[in-house]
Amino acid sequence: MNKQQDVESNKFSLLVIVLDTNPSQRIVRQNAQLLTQCVDAIIAFGNAHLMQCSQNKLAVLSCHHHATDFLYPLPGKQLDVRQIDGQYEVFSLVEKTVKQRLSHIITNSPKLNTPCESILAGSMAMALCYISRIQRNAAAGVKMHSRILVVTGSNECASQYMTYMNVFFTAQKLGITIDVCAMDKTMSLLQQGCDITGGQYLRLTQLDGLLQYLLWVFLPDPQMRQKLVLPPATKVDYRAACFCHRELIDIGYVCSVCLSIFCKFSPICTTCHTVFKIPGPMPIKPKKKKKV
Amino acid sequence: MADIDGEDPKEYRWETGYEKTWEAIKEDDDGLLDGAIAEIIQKAKRKRQAQKTQQNRLGMMRHLYIVLDCSESMTVPDLKPTRMLCTIKLLEIFIEEFFDQNPISQLGLIVLKGKRAEKLTELTGTSKLHLKALEGVSKIPLTSEPSLQNGLDLAMKALKVVPSHASREILIIMGSLTTCDPVDINSTINALKADNIRCSVISLSAEIHVCRHLTQQTDGSYGAVLDDAHFRDQLLAHVDPPPAAQTQENSLIKMGFPHAKTDGGKDPPLSMCMCHIENTEEPSKLTSGGYHCPQCFSKYCELPVECQTCGLTLVSAPHLARSYHHLFPVQHFTELEFNGQAANCYACQKPLTEAMDKNVYRCEKCAQVYCIDCDIFIHETLHTCVGCNTGNSNRN
Amino acid sequence: MSDAKAGRSGPTTSTYALIPKPANLQCMDLQEYLRTRTAETLEKLYNYPTICLAVYRELPEIARQFVIRILFVEQPVPQAVVASWGSQHYAKEQAASTACLTELNVWRVTAIPGGLSAWELCPTFKKNLKIALLGGGKPWSMSHTLEKDSKPRDIAFLDTYAMARWRCVLHYMVGTGSSNKAQDSEGISPDAVRILLHANLMKRDERDGITITRQGFQFLLLDTQSQVWHFMLQYLDTCEERGLSLPDCLSMLFQLSFSTLGRDYSSEGMSPKMLTFLQHLREFGLVFQRKRKEGRFYPTRLALNVTNKHAAVPAVIAEDDKAQESGYIVVETNYRVYAYTDSPLQVAVLGLFTELLYRFPNLVVGVLTRDSVRQALRGGITADQIVSYLEQYSHPNMKLTESAIKSKSPLPPTVVDQIKLWELERNRFTYTEGVVYNQFLSQADFVTLRDYAQSINVLVHMNERTRTMVVTKNGHDDVKRFWKRYSKSGG
């Protein structure tokens, strides 16, 4: 028993929360109060993660409409936070830092005239760089599990398709789990990411009880999730987005040279400038007619 | 391996002058070598990156036959424990990597045993089958000589029928210094050349003229290994898709992207899958999951697959996306002397200091500054510049 | 055991106490320690957010999830609902977690309308864990605001200080304290000696001197973090005698354990008793204080995360952080042990299980032999302790060898295996407590009883010729009851 615990305890888990703070999210536009509520829940959730084990690590990124910034930890010296109430010093530090950084970012951000998309994929890429740095510095013999939790109320945008895919495959290669909590629309691309990396995807229809949901679904480490009953994985839509219009398609044309996807036949590939031979009577055509 | 060409002016290694390798290492102020060695390692890392040139005409749909020598010469223990076992180990890694990087490609295995060639696995797109077959290879008795020609003929026969838009390749792993062929091998080489089949050879013993000739004629690469680490590098170099041959025909291929349907959260009705329907050993079972062809709605349990009913190639989008980084590589960053350009690395937030970071790296597009570790991570693993993807100004 | 005879002549039973095994060092972790406390004590302890936090971290992982899920739920949660949170495949683990929560008094059963039983977190625990997590309540006792320290102490200084103080205690134990350098010669206070005696790590011998005990040697083999924890537990045992309150001390200890290394804290507003406690901690090196009267102190690495030995070593090495205390032992595959040390303490510990061959000014060479290891084993030291000691202090270069990277242990596998084999050699007996039944009047009686014992799987040994049988202690009651019934029915 003791021996086993020894083996188990020589590990820690790093949680990177990517929080979408873009003011063009529908829920924020309707009620700005909700963002505050959401940030409070995220802080409590992050602290609950730190509470699991003293070695656990936390990082919080904000994905704002113009830039991505670390809310916690600060790159250099941390804030000097003293206890003001019974809260554990480390937790107070997280809370203070996140709130201070976030208000700084919001007040200093350029004015937004038209709603714009959140650049979540880039923020996730940044999170991966951070994780890989921590991984490099992990002491020998210490096992590290990392995961990324994306909390967003944005719409999906296919224009980041390539970045998303690169992020997902990198995460898969490094054994990093990607969890997604969608607060508004269904995010089918992020859902693919969860599926590829073995993470949990949860779509909330209302924000009441956000913290309770977070604690239930996302607090357990991926390693211990099998011991608990969690919402079942939904079927994932693995359709591709075409390169020409960035729309999800069922049937498309793929360039044999570079594997670019197009929704219509075109005589020249826009990616690799290959000239295609005009399709003669395709062998599949007659069969198709027969079938339909 | 730059000397594929016969006319290559580069001499053999034993003909070149000394390389004063020791001069590259210099002691630092404290008389220590650590710093200098670390620098050399970092330079080597960056050099590997720099070699990857932008190449957007790659033969992505690859059809590759691996021809493995199973002659007596494979028992030689110069690679540990023996050439054969070492090769099997490395091939396992190779096969995994191959399918990881070349999602809709196919691979087959041929072994040369006792002057004959035998097809171990047909061209298929799943790694499981090959890995299983590879396990059996270690039990093959290693005797007599191999026949290169028989191996090439067998592979050629299979590759001839492959569609013209796909790349056709043969990779030969030779332990023997000799080959025992029925007729003139030059006729085979000419046939391979005519069919646009690219042949590459990795020799475990020494350079063999006929192999070199073969690779020269068919635009392949040739390498003789120094040790197991070198062998591994040589083998894994074949994971990256080769540039597309000029003569290769190009076409747009119609493909379907099936998605598992969930209408209103209801479980889809039970149905049979097409892939097992004619398989008597494992008969098709009634299940609710699976992938449906978007054209004719036949069901399959695994992707990628060619629809048996309507002939549409079915793949999932991530399969294709896995290889996009070959097409859209991140541009090289500019190396700069560190003089306080930024307080910390843009991607990983590492504080940059004079002492630790001699050089920093800047992306020319987004002008963000990175540390060396992130530079390498971004180019080798992530394939996405963080700065270019987190600012909204310079994106479309 | 005479009642087993049930009034009439029958088999006699007698229990055999186990052959007394040498008393070994019992190291409890926090959870085990708390289990030995009464419910009232626990209730009192849960009044401190720090203790709640420490207890929470020590819970099994499933238990932690359960607690956090009902932390924000106001009403009790039906047991069936809680049970449905865990996967069926891990029912056993889940049951253990549930039991643990009950034993530690973290939650308890209540009835809810509808006749179902439900779980409810202990209100004190719930309140204070929430405070620790979300804030509210009173600040911890040592967090009064301080003016900036004019001469702040850095982490390196604190580490050296803490280790020097702690070594002082260890040196005293091996009796090398007085013969060494000046700083060691100040020795340790009578209070510390009393704790060592109480913990049975040292004992008074005939000439009224104090010598180290077998447990003491085992204690020396532990890693520093476990030593501190064990020592503090023993201290807490005796704190009531000193007039200190256990909850106060424990909460203070955990406050230190949750503090930030390299930061100063204030002792202002502490009761005189707590100040005494602080002085003791200062003596053992858990805190650094410039002067006794100064209202400012720095916790050291020893105090940090006292309950978890892995947490003490930073899991992530900061870019500018240098390696801390490095190892000094090299073990070769030929069982030779080279120790680069001049510390008599380290030599003494090494001498426990190696045969020392040569001594040089900064190097000691020894060899692990069957005899030397067996002697250590006889002394109650376990093979694991020896191995973990060698691993813990192995030379950094040992950790860089290829085999070390592969097998995670820096020691040659042959040596590790051999030490373990030498231990196994000694463990050819398994001890089972049991009850002997003998002097049966008839073969039939014997056979009936034997068959019964066999059928319920409690028979340990039997001999038909002498009509003797041994059943396990747990099975004794069953067999006795059966015998009574059997003999009454006139069998």
Side-chain angles (χ1 to χ4, degrees), chain A residues 7 10 140-143, chain C residues 391 394 398-399 401-411:
Chain A
V7 175
N10 206 359
V142 179
K143 197 130 178 47
Chain C
E391 269 176 6
S394 62
M398 297 266 292
K399 291 176 182 153
T401 57
E402 196 182 348
S403 65
I405 292 161
K406 270 189 211 141
S407 66
K408 285 190 284 186
S409 162
L411 305 178

Side-chain angles (χ1 to χ4, degrees), chain C residues 50-69:
Chain C
T50 41
I51 299 182
C52 292
L53 189 58
V55 168
Y56 179 80
R57 280 195 175 156
E58 288 291 308
L59 293 173
E61 53 182 1
I62 293 186
R64 288 204 298 261
Q65 299 298 333
F66 285 178
V67 170
I68 201 101
R69 283 190 67 181

Side-chain angles (χ1 to χ4, degrees), chain A residues 6 9 50-52 54 80-83 85-89 91 133 137 139 212 216 226-227 229, chain C residues 56-57 61 64 69 85 87 90 93 132-133 136 138 140 143 258 260 263-265 310 315 317 319:
Chain A
D6 264 10
S9 55
L50 288 178
M51 191 164 83
Q52 297 301 307
S54 56
D80 188 35
V81 172
R82 292 279 173 178
Q83 237 182 355
D85 55 11
Q87 191 178 24
Y88 178 22
E89 206 170 61
F91 299 167
R133 167 184 154 212
N137 292 327
Q212 202 63 21
W216 170 37
Q226 48 172 336
K227 298 181 185 172
V229 176
Chain C
Y56 179 80
R57 280 195 175 156
E61 53 182 1
R64 288 204 298 261
R69 283 190 67 181
W85 290 343
S87 153
Y90 294 87
E93 210 172 310
L133 179 60
K138 278 187 296 192
W140 300 356
S143 51
F258 290 130
T260 313
R263 179 179 276 194
D264 52 344
Y265 293 87
H310 291 294
I317 305 158
E319 272 84 9

